[in-house]
Amino acid sequence: SFADSSLLSERKRRDREERLNIVLWRQPLVTLQYFFLETLINLKEWTIKLWHRRSILVSFLLTLAVLTATYYIEGTHQQYVRYMEKKFFWCAYWVGLGILSSVGLGTGLHTFLLYLGPHIASVTLAAYECNSVNFPEPPYPDQIICPDEEATEGSISLWAIISKVRLEACMWGAGTAIGELPPYFMARAARLSGAEPDDEEYQEFEEMLEHAETAQDFASRAKLAVQNLVQKVGFFGILACASIPNPLFDLAGITCGHFLVPFWTFFGATLIGKAVIKMHIQKLFVIITFSKHIVEQMVSLIGAIPSIGPSLQKPFQEYLEAQRIKLHHRPDSGVPQGENWLSWMFEKLVIVMVCYFILSIINSMAQSYAKRLQQKMYSEEKTK
């Protein structure tokens, strides 16, 4: 029995290594083939699930038909329709970015660093330059423009900036909470069915429970502390883990699913922690970091670096000056719009990150199909 168990674990390890080699830069043709086959299987499964939930689908289609008719029929209600349309798509945009940030499809897209953080920073810089937050309601036009009315110097407050970006930040936080649900459902389904899924994070969690007493390294002790906090404290333990920047929160989702914590206890605590508490902490950090006097001090410190300081300081000064000019002139006013190498580098960084995220999704789905083939092989061997 011990020998069979060792052989099985060794085989699973080899199969896992074989799956990890199925990536576009090593086996492009096989990876693309497996990706398309996995996509077809997923589409088939989703179609079957929709067919089994025909009543919900019909209700959704009827609601969509009513909303479509309301959208196209002329009347005094159109001003409210346009307002709700703009708000809905703006919120959906940030919720989607939040889901992409935490759903874990391969690596996850770090949308706070790429989208929400720069958005809060740009609003903060504009608020201090304009001494006002009376910009157009989101979604903004191509660029934020200072309002025409004059405002007194220093009249802008921290709370006004927080209120200006609250909707975007809370929607992004809600999206990250939704993205934490897959580990919870995976562990819950495995516990209820008694199955042992071939998932690396779940297997690591099981091994951690088995060797909890002998854990010595810091990472194992930190994971064990998160698991104990969530298991023993419950709602407030989950809330505490979700309210701080915590790379181990996926483990909290697996723990809650494994110990059958009620869904609304887990999701409610996660939603409050991520969309309210954590987002206000992150907003405050970005707003304070990009406040006018802090930015000026940072640029001065860059210039103080020996030898390379002045050459590094110049593009930052040019970028800030260009942003100030843009804030006081409308796009059609004839002011030349120069391009700074900092903005050029950021645009290319965003493109690279998005491309890498798409590649990671393709690799992940191809590896999922390879896992299906391996499981099919296991079942065929057992029936012989």
Side-chain angles (χ1 to χ4, degrees):
S1 177
F2 178 76
D4 290 343
S5 177
S6 300
L7 288 173
L8 182 61
S9 61
E10 178 64 22
R11 181 173 179 179
K12 284 186 176 181
R13 185 188 64 80
R14 289 200 307 269
D15 288 344
R16 192 178 300 115
E17 290 178 355
E18 182 182 332
R19 289 201 307 272
L20 292 176
N21 284 325
I22 301 177
V23 290
L24 280 169
W25 46 88
R26 290 182 181 173
Q27 304 180 52
L29 295 179
V30 173
T31 303
L32 289 174
Q33 180 188 2
Y34 283 7
F35 166 73
F36 286 119
L37 292 173
E38 180 69 13
T39 303
L40 292 175
I41 291 173
N42 287 331
L43 289 174
K44 180 182 176 182
E45 291 176 350
W46 294 340
T47 304
I48 293 172
K49 288 179 180 178
L50 284 176
W51 179 250
H52 289 314
R53 294 170 175 81
R54 294 187 294 275
S55 58
I56 298 176
L57 180 61
V58 170
S59 301
F60 173 76
L61 292 176
L62 288 174
T63 304
L64 186 62
V66 171
L67 292 175
T68 304
T70 306
Y71 182 81
Y72 284 104
I73 293 175
E74 295 295 333
T76 56
H77 65 283
Q78 283 298 321
Q79 57 179 332
Y80 305 105
V81 170
R82 301 303 177 196
Y83 176 80
M84 293 303 298
E85 177 191 18
K86 186 172 70 170
K87 285 292 184 183
F88 173 78
F89 283 110
W90 184 242
C91 293
Y93 172 75
W94 289 110
V95 170
L97 287 176
I99 293 173
L100 290 177
S101 184
S102 64
V103 74
L105 291 172
T107 58
L109 186 65
H110 303 291
T111 52
F112 182 85
L113 296 176
L114 294 177
Y115 295 97
L116 183 59
H119 172 72
I120 297 173
S122 64
V123 171
T124 303
L125 292 172
Y128 280 105
E129 177 64 24
C130 304
N131 295 307
S132 172
V133 290
N134 294 325
F135 316 133
E137 282 294 311
Y140 300 112
D142 293 335
Q143 57 185 358
I144 301 173
I145 302 297
C146 288
D148 294 330
E149 63 269 15
E150 292 291 333
T152 58
E153 183 75 22
S155 61
I156 192 66
S157 67
L158 184 67
W159 182 252
I161 303 174
I162 291 174
S163 302
K164 187 66 176 178
V165 295
R166 180 179 291 120
L167 177 66
E168 299 92 306
C170 290
M171 290 298 104
W172 186 87
T176 61
I178 295 171
E180 299 291 353
L181 293 179
Y184 169 83
F185 284 122
M186 178 269 297
R188 183 181 178 86
R191 181 66 184 272
L192 291 174
S193 64
E196 295 183 0
D198 187 17
D199 183 89
E200 286 77 7
E201 287 185 348
Y202 190 79
Q203 287 182 350
E204 182 183 351
F205 173 77
E206 291 281 358
E207 292 174 2
M208 185 191 69
L209 292 181
E210 291 177 6
H211 307 291
E213 301 298 329
T214 59
Q216 296 295 330
D217 59 294
F218 175 77
S220 298
R221 289 200 301 271
K223 291 178 181 179
L224 190 61
V226 171
Q227 184 257 326
N228 288 331
L229 181 65
V230 170
Q231 183 185 356
K232 294 177 180 178
V233 185
F235 178 89
F236 292 102
I238 303 167
L239 182 64
C241 291
S243 299
I244 58 175
N246 183 6
L248 303 177
F249 192 79
D250 278 348
L251 188 66
I254 295 175
T255 302
C256 292
H258 182 82
F259 291 104
L260 303 180
V261 173
F263 170 76
W264 286 112
T265 300
F266 170 72
F267 185 66
T270 304
L271 186 63
I272 295 171
K274 285 184 171 289
V276 180
I277 301 174
K278 181 184 174 184
M279 278 318 306
H280 276 82
I281 295 173
Q282 291 178 300
K283 273 193 299 182
L284 278 171
F285 176 77
V286 175
I287 291 171
I288 292 172
T289 303
F290 284 88
S291 60
K292 187 174 183 179
H293 63 285
I294 296 291
V295 171
E296 291 174 352
Q297 288 178 2
M298 287 193 296
V299 173
S300 300
L301 288 174
I302 291 173
I305 299 175
S307 302
I308 61 172
S311 59
L312 285 177
Q313 187 186 43
K314 185 179 178 182
F316 283 98
Q317 290 176 332
E318 291 176 351
Y319 177 76
L320 291 174
E321 186 61 31
Q323 296 307 307
R324 291 190 183 100
I325 293 173
K326 287 181 180 180
L327 289 170
H328 292 288
H329 295 85
R330 301 200 174 271
D332 54 356
S333 60
V335 177
Q337 304 291 327
E339 186 177 20
N340 186 273
W341 69 269
L342 287 175
S343 59
W344 181 87
M345 283 186 62
F346 181 76
E347 290 174 1
K348 299 304 178 283
L349 176 64
V350 170
I351 293 172
V352 170
M353 290 290 291
V354 171
C355 291
Y356 183 74
F357 180 63
I358 294 172
L359 291 178
S360 70
I361 294 175
I362 295 174
N363 293 335
S364 179
M365 293 184 68
Q367 291 167 10
S368 296
Y369 184 77
K371 182 178 175 181
R372 289 179 188 271
L373 295 180
Q374 291 170 353
Q375 290 176 340
K376 183 179 179 182
M377 191 181 300
Y378 285 148
S379 61
E380 289 175 353
E381 291 176 358
K382 286 181 181 179
T383 55
K384 287 182 181 179

